[in-house]
Structure formats: structure tokens, C-alpha cells
Amino acid sequence: MSVQDYLDKHMLSRKIEDAVNAAVRAKTLDPVLFISNHMKKAVSSVITKVKARQILDSRGIPTVEVDLYTNKGMFRASAPSGAPIGMYEAVELRDGDKGTYLGNGVTKAIRNVNEKISEALIGMDPTLQSQIDHAMTDLDKTEKKGELGANAILAVSIAACKAGAAEKEVPLCKYIADLSGQSNLFLPVPAFTVISGGRHAGNALAAQEIMILPIGATKFKDALQMGSETYHHLKAVITEKYGAHECNVGEDGGLAPNISSIREGLDLVKEAIGRTGYNEKIKIAIDVAATDFCIGAKYDLDFKSPNKLGQNFKSGEDMIEMYKELCNDYPVVSIEDPFDKEDWEHTRSFSGLGICQVVGDDLLMSNSKRIEKARVESTCNALVLKIDNQPVDIVEKEIPMNNICIQWIVASSLIVLLMAQQFCRNPVNQIGTLTEAIEVAKLAKNANLGVVISHRSGETEDSFLADLSVGLATSQIKAGAPCRGERLAKYNQLLRIEEELGDQVVYAGEDWRQS
């Protein structure tokens, strides 16, 4: 074939002429670079390669990282992983070989990406997010993504989203907004973890997190400053009261002094806020994660102290009274999972008081049926949205005992068993694809529930969560403490988004519950 025949066959002469004319009109100083980029844009992008590898998350546990290639470049994403909740989500795939990473390896999921998923997606348009996600779920053929692994599917889904944004030449958050049909963008109010407890820390505090919300800031950058300053003042307060040895941190970066009561933790946080001078500009939120210490119909706030087991045993009504007092004595404006995931009655009763935002995480599990039930019964008024991999409970919650003493002995054994096996279970994923995340967010908003985008205890340095929060127009984000690289990756990305979009995006601030 002659050169002219080749040019004619591919219509290159016309395309080159168009590129040269565009360069002339643009009066570019580098015509070669301009023409090269112009020609590249003229070619429709397709997925050319999908490559996965095993990396470690912030806890040192393996997870899946994916590099997805198009003719526009390479796009990387990784799947986070968390602690156990329930039975309604998609199954994460682990190797189970106790001799390697204590059974937590993900080489099976890696192989599924490199062989099955890659083959199915090569040649697809990266802007067709829904079709890509459905292709993977159809390939899996299981309800909970147990064949390919939700960790494998999720990492590919996020990487494809990044590739789609690059093809459209728009910021990732705006691309997600287009996918979800959002026109108004918000920078979320960050719920900074400042004290860690529950399963996230080795102290005696039953509640999982105490957080601060800088709702009085007018810009996200100011909110981040407030969070950082409060965190460091809190560290100083703890050092003064208990010594520097009590400034350990939990899995999500929150400080973890060996306190045993929520009130003691709130006193520390309140003093730290006072030292910053921000006072009314910062409010407090609590993630109780009460499912972790619910035994039958009772709640043991000393479940992490074996020598005190059963001494701080509260009924649902007792817990409601405690929350009412906390909201009255401290600037608490949000409480997450105040009761067991199946304790709809007390959650509904507490929410009905209207004294603070009541958030459902374990309660709702991003499950459509549970979200609809919450809507119909007005059980809570906000939902935690996670795109993650997390373990499933392996022990039945209900303990049919007649003798309370026997019940406590069994409960003690179960607690030890659960904590020992925390990283050895079959994990699950609340949201297996970006398309599912968008659907759950829409479902929650249609049910008049607020949406709180949330990190996981096992995070990576991937900052996708920040763009997702802005793109879905949620007005709240939980990404951990204002320290540790994998947490700050999200907060720093929100800084960049605020800088890049300028007046196109508004910090939620006082309107933090609008989503």
C-alpha cells in the first residue's frame, strides 16, 4: 500500500488539515504539541488494558489496586476495607491461606481482574459507567458478588470512572455529578474523628468515634484549619491530664486515651474546642456503633473491660435518656447508630424526639429494603454511604438464654472471639460499584434522608471519596482524623476541588443537613 493509499484509507489528510487549521486559529506557540493533542482528542477512547495488583491498606492488610488503561492514559484506583456490620452486602474475596497474610491475601481477586474482568471490558467506552458496572455484575452472576469479589469489581469501577472523567475532560467530581444528575455542587462539612474507641481503638471506650463538625466555617479550607487546630489542642489536653503515653491513635487517626465513658471523652473535646476559640462554630457528633456491645436487648458500655462486664448494663430506654443528657450538656448535633442494627423501636423513638441528627449505618447497610422501612417508619434521618469492603458477622446476634449469669459468660466469650477474629472473616462490600453508590444516594434522598459519605478503617491513599462526596452533593463526609496520609488524602483533595471550582461549589457549613 502506498503512502497516499494509506492516507486515503484512514482519511488522515482531512484530519491533519483540520488539526493544522485549529492550530492556526489558536495561534499556538507550539504547533507540534497542539496538533498532537488535537489529533488525540479526535480519537474516541476505549479501555485497552486492565491490570490489578495486591497492595496494603492503612492497617497493613491486603487490598486490590487496579490500573485501567485507555488510549488517553492510565487511571488507578484501590478498594478500601472496613470492620464488620451485617449480611446484606456484597462479598469481598479473600484467599483464606492462613500462611500468607493470615488468610487475608487477595490474589484470587487480582486474578479475576487480570483475566475475567479485563477480557470483558477491553474495547468498552470508559464513559459508559453504568454499562461497565453492569458488565462486571453480569459476569459475576452472584447476588453478593462472591464469584469475582466485590473488592475486585469496586476497584475497577472507580478506575473506570476516573478514565471517563478524563475522556470528558472535566474534573472528576463534576463527572460524577453528571452521572448522578446533580446540578448543584457542595463541599461537605467534614466530621473529623478526634477520639477513637470501640473496635477502632484499644482503650475502654465503648463508642466508636467522637467527631467534630466545623459548621461555622465559610470555606472548606477554614473548616480544615479548625479541625487541625482542635485536634492538636486535644492532644495537649490529653497530655496534661493523662500524660503523653495516652496520646495513642486509633485505626482512623483519632486519639485514643484510655477513657471509659462517652462523657469523659466529650469533656476532653469540649475543652479542646474552647482552647481554639471557635466555640459555637464547632459542633460534636458521636458514632456509637451500639451493635458492637448489644447483648440481647441490653447494652453493655463496659464491654471492653472484662473485669467490669455487666456493671454498666443499660436498656434501650436508659440509652435514650443518656443521649438526651449528652445532647443537652454538650453541643452534640449528630449520633450515629445509637442502638443495635435490629433495634428499630428505640432508634425510631429517639429519632422522633428531634434533638439531633440520627444516622443509620449498621441499621441501614445501604440496603434498599431497610432504607424504605426507615422512610416509612421515620426511623432515622440520615444514611451512611460507604463504598468499601468489610467483614460479615459470623455469630448470631440473638442469644436465647434464660439465666442472665450464663448470658454474661457467653457474651464475654463472644466478645473475645469477635475481636480475635476481626481480620479473619469473609468480608463484604456495602457498595460494589459506583453505579450502585449513585442509586443508593438517590434512594436515600428520595426518602428524605441525609447522606453521609464515609471512609473505612482500612483506607488507602486514593482520594476518590472526596470527589464522590462533591459529585453526589452530600453535605457531610467522614474521612477520619485530620492526620495520617490516607485520611488527609481525602481532605486535601477537597481543598483542591474548592480551589479549582471556585464559585461553582459552595461549602455546606450551616446547611450541613440539606442533603
Side-chain angles (χ1 to χ4, degrees):
M1 180 183 294
S2 67
V3 172
Q4 188 58 51
D5 289 341
Y6 187 84
L7 292 172
D8 293 341
K9 178 180 180 180
H10 297 285
M11 295 182 289
L12 291 178
S13 296
R14 178 62 181 274
K15 293 176 182 177
I16 293 172
E17 182 180 351
D18 289 343
V20 172
N21 288 334
V24 171
R25 288 193 299 271
K27 298 180 181 179
T28 177
L29 297 178
D30 190 340
V32 174
L33 179 60
F34 184 93
I35 292 171
S36 173
N37 289 334
H38 186 89
M39 295 289 288
K40 191 174 183 180
K41 292 177 182 179
V43 179
S44 297
S45 183
V46 295
I47 298 172
T48 58
K49 179 182 177 182
V50 184
K51 169 72 175 177
R53 66 179 61 85
Q54 177 173 276
I55 63 170
L56 299 184
D57 67 18
S58 58
R59 303 167 302 172
I61 296 176
T63 191
V64 178
E65 180 178 81
V66 166
D67 292 345
L68 185 145
Y69 294 79
T70 72
N71 47 6
K72 297 293 176 69
M74 184 274 286
F75 306 91
R76 178 171 293 162
S78 54
S81 182
I85 286 188
M87 66 185 75
Y88 295 90
E89 310 92 341
V91 179
E92 182 188 60
L93 188 59
R94 297 279 182 184
D95 296 342
D97 178 6
K98 299 299 181 181
T100 304
Y101 285 113
L102 306 179
N104 290 309
V106 291
T107 59
K108 292 179 181 178
I110 299 300
R111 187 163 55 249
N112 286 338
V113 173
N114 293 338
E115 296 175 5
K116 298 178 181 179
I117 293 178
S118 177
E119 181 180 356
L121 299 189
I122 287 177
M124 291 190 70
D125 183 342
T127 65
L128 301 178
Q129 184 71 40
S130 178
Q131 292 184 27
I132 290 171
D133 290 342
H134 287 147
M136 289 190 287
T137 54
D138 290 345
L139 183 65
D140 184 271
K141 293 185 177 64
T142 65
E143 182 182 358
K144 298 183 178 180
K145 304 177 180 66
E147 180 68 25
L148 298 178
N151 43 349
I153 293 173
L154 177 61
V156 175
S157 180
I158 295 174
C161 181
K162 294 179 179 180
E167 172 64 15
K168 293 290 188 179
E169 297 185 330
V170 296
L172 180 57
C173 60
K174 295 191 75 172
Y175 179 68
I176 295 171
D178 290 339
L179 292 176
S180 60
Q182 292 291 338
S183 56
N184 298 320
L185 302 184
F186 296 97
L187 283 159
V189 169
F192 295 112
T193 302
V194 290
I195 289 185
S196 294
R199 291 188 177 181
H200 288 182
N203 55 16
L205 181 63
Q208 187 163 278
E209 295 172 296
I210 297 178
M211 297 163 282
I212 57 171
L213 285 72
I215 64 173
T218 57
K219 296 284 187 180
F220 180 81
K221 68 175 183 178
D222 298 329
L224 185 57
Q225 179 181 336
M226 290 179 183
S228 175
E229 291 177 2
T230 305
Y231 183 86
H232 288 287
H233 276 296
L234 178 60
K235 188 174 182 179
V237 171
I238 292 171
T239 300
E240 293 168 11
K241 290 183 178 292
Y242 306 106
H245 63 282
E246 288 294 337
C247 288
N248 298 317
V249 298
E251 289 182 345
D252 50 6
L255 295 163
N258 194 27
I259 56 178
S260 58
S261 74
I262 299 176
R263 187 172 286 273
E264 188 176 0
L266 291 174
D267 284 335
L268 294 172
V269 174
K270 187 176 180 180
E271 182 173 344
I273 294 173
R275 291 189 183 187
T276 66
Y278 295 124
N279 297 316
E280 295 302 318
K281 293 184 177 182
I282 296 179
K283 302 301 181 182
I284 297 176
I286 306 170
D287 179 1
V288 182
T291 297
D292 289 345
F293 53 88
C294 179
I295 307 297
K298 300 285 186 177
Y299 297 89
D300 180 22
L301 293 174
D302 285 330
F303 85 106
K304 295 172 70 178
S305 303
N307 59 322
K308 295 182 179 179
L309 201 63
Q311 296 180 23
N312 200 0
F313 204 43
K314 293 184 180 294
S315 66
E317 290 75 15
D318 294 333
M319 295 290 281
I320 289 178
E321 290 303 312
M322 181 186 75
Y323 295 140
K324 288 167 62 177
E325 292 176 3
L326 294 179
C327 290
N328 182 67
D329 297 342
Y330 304 91
V332 174
V333 295
S334 179
I335 299 180
E336 180 180 331
D337 285 338
F339 302 95
D340 178 69
K341 64 186 178 184
E342 300 302 336
D343 193 346
W344 293 79
E345 178 184 354
H346 289 107
T347 305
R348 181 170 58 251
S349 296
F350 178 57
S351 181
L353 297 176
I355 59 178
C356 72
Q357 173 179 258
V358 178
V359 186
D361 181 8
D362 299 5
L363 178 77
L364 301 180
M365 292 180 270
S366 298
N367 178 270
S368 59
K369 292 182 180 179
R370 295 174 78 89
I371 292 173
E372 176 61 16
K373 180 178 180 180
R375 183 193 68 80
V376 172
E377 300 181 1
S378 300
T379 309
C380 59
N381 43 47
L383 165 146
V384 170
L385 178 61
K386 299 171 181 172
I387 52 167
D388 68 341
N389 312 289
Q390 55 185 10
V392 119
D393 288 334
I394 59 170
V395 181
E396 288 292 327
K397 269 283 291 102
E398 296 296 331
I399 305 173
M401 292 286 181
N402 295 321
N403 187 301
I404 191 66
C405 295
I406 296 177
Q407 187 177 20
W408 275 115
I409 294 173
V410 173
S412 303
S413 301
L414 287 176
I415 290 166
V416 172
L417 177 63
L418 287 170
M419 296 181 82
Q421 294 184 340
Q422 181 173 356
F423 300 121
C424 301
R425 310 179 195 187
N426 294 323
V428 300
N429 190 299
Q430 281 197 309
I431 297 293
T433 66
L434 175 61
T435 299
E436 290 172 336
I438 292 172
E439 290 172 352
V440 169
K442 288 181 177 179
L443 182 64
K445 291 185 179 185
N446 289 337
N448 294 318
L449 295 175
V451 179
V452 183
I453 291 288
S454 179
H455 65 149
R456 301 310 300 129
S457 56
E459 270 295 341
T460 73
E461 56 271 32
D462 195 324
S463 62
F464 180 78
L465 201 67
D467 288 274
L468 181 66
S469 179
V470 176
L472 294 182
T474 70
S475 52
Q476 302 172 60
I477 185 172
K478 292 174 57 178
C483 74
R484 295 185 50 156
E486 77 280 359
R487 314 295 159 177
L488 289 173
K490 286 70 171 172
Y491 296 134
N492 288 338
Q493 176 63 6
L494 287 169
L495 282 177
R496 299 183 194 103
I497 292 172
E498 183 173 57
E499 180 183 276
E500 180 180 10
L501 297 187
D503 294 339
Q504 299 177 55
V505 64
V506 178
Y507 177 64
E510 298 284 353
D511 296 324
W512 61 282
R513 293 183 64 177
Q514 64 186 345
S515 66

